[in-house]
Amino acid sequence: MESDIVGRRERKRLATHHALRAAALRLGAERGIRDVTVEEIATAADVSVRTFYDHFPSKEDAIIGFDAWRVDQLRDALRDRPATEPPLEALRVVMRRLFDESSGEWPLRMRAINSDPALLGRMFVSFIGYERALVEVIAERTGLDPNDNPYPALVTAVATAAFRASMTTARASGGSMDAAATFDGAVALLAAALTPPEGPSPC
Amino acid sequence: MESDIVGRRERKRLATHHALRAAALRLGAERGIRDVTVEEIATAADVSVRTFYDHFPSKEDAIIGFDAWRVDQLRDALRDRPATEPPLEALRVVMRRLFDESSGEWPLRMRAINSDPALLGRMFVSFIGYERALVEVIAERTGLDPNDNPYPALVTAVATAAFRASMTTARASGGSMDAAATFDGAVALLAAALTPPEGPSPC
DNA sequence: TGCACTAATTGCACGTTGTGCAGTGAGTGG
DNA sequence: CCACTCACTGCACAACGTGCAATTAGTGCA
């Protein structure tokens, strides 16, 4: 899965990284992010506070945790989708993976977000970086200049809107709804109505 | 415009409120929000640091500044739109006002956001509250249960996606594009493709 | 094996953020 | 004129986030 672990050093670093995230996730879900200090997270992961900040810029990022390398990962995944696939569907497939990849973390993440809705915002913030990368690839696929034509930015924005809406409604339902399934449904609803750039008029 | 100013006390409070926002906006646009401390903002507005925190929870909020009362304002505005108007168009009209109302502040706000993209995120965060209220009204208009049917949340998410996309592209163009006009165009593009809830199939 | 080299971790210091609390003074209403 | 309310203020304090230098473990080469 991971690009082969190169050495013991890198392996240990990943271990502390994971331990910090797990601790932040667990504590954040248990007591709410506001009542958890960075010191507690670091202690739970058995490292110093200073080390925490070498891995995450803030405790919120440790919980939301969309690292920079995921951007590349997502971009490559979108590039690998067949060229014949409609942009929105391609976006759905690769974004859908965000739910599946760290599926074990999502329940805790949702509980943490429930404790402080501002975390949901932080998450949407991290989407900005994703959107930028995705818009770039969509522009390649469609051959449109993203600075000239709003279509790439719009399709991507619509896809993330579906992602956000599914997150929000899943949260509103108190966890009774599956965010991933809701996301698929939302995209399907949009796909039925949205059309590719060539024909601006739907019918 | 404002619900009549009741007394001198309230008037003075609004004055300091405005002075703080103006100072934050000006300094943030000039030097970037990261290089401006709350103390500087407070000093520029000739009040104490503690007073600043009586008006805004953080310097970012002073710049982005979507107060709670605006939520009610926006909700009422949406309720006042004719029932025959398509949901997306109604959303466009009321959201469009966000650009016009404090039009004088937008140039400064854009420059501040340019200095630190995280501010754009903070702005999107504040949209969550707006979306919640708007979804509620859309649910009323369409007679759909927002917890049961994803349509209200989706239309609203799509509308704010257009808002966000227009903000982002306007920022990317370095201010050469008009965010408000771009917003209108984006919504028009979407409106041509999206259809009301009754008929899920566009044709 | 021995020896530089790199990088993760750590402690320390420091400025900044955000909040609770009590006091002051101006504005308000009877 | 007299309570009463409330914006503003200073103070203290916990927590956040970062720069810097030292330590220690892992890495690569002779």
Side-chain angles (χ1 to χ4, degrees), chain A residues 117-118 120-122 124-125 127-128 131-132 146-147 150-151 153-154 157-158 160-162 164-165 168-169 171-173 177 182 185-187 189-190 192-195 200-203, chain B residues 117-118 120-122 124-125 127-128 131-132 146-148 150-151 153-154 157-158 160-162 164-165 168-169 171-172 177 182 185-187 189-190 192-195 200-203:
Chain A
L120 197 59
R122 276 298 260 273
F124 297 163
V125 171
F127 282 8
I128 299 175
E131 280 201 46
R132 222 190 314 271
N147 296 330
Y151 180 79
L154 256 186
V158 165
T160 56
R164 292 168 59 228
T168 305
T169 56
R171 193 180 75 84
S173 74
M177 295 179 80
T182 308
V187 174
L189 220 120
L190 289 169
L194 281 174
T195 49
S201 54
C203 295
Chain B
L120 198 59
R122 275 301 260 272
F124 297 162
V125 171
F127 281 9
I128 299 176
E131 279 202 47
R132 223 191 312 270
N147 296 331
D148 202 42
Y151 180 79
L154 254 187
V158 165
T160 57
R164 292 169 59 228
T168 306
T169 57
R171 192 180 76 84
M177 297 178 78
T182 308
V187 174
L189 221 120
L190 288 169
L194 282 172
T195 49
S201 55
C203 297

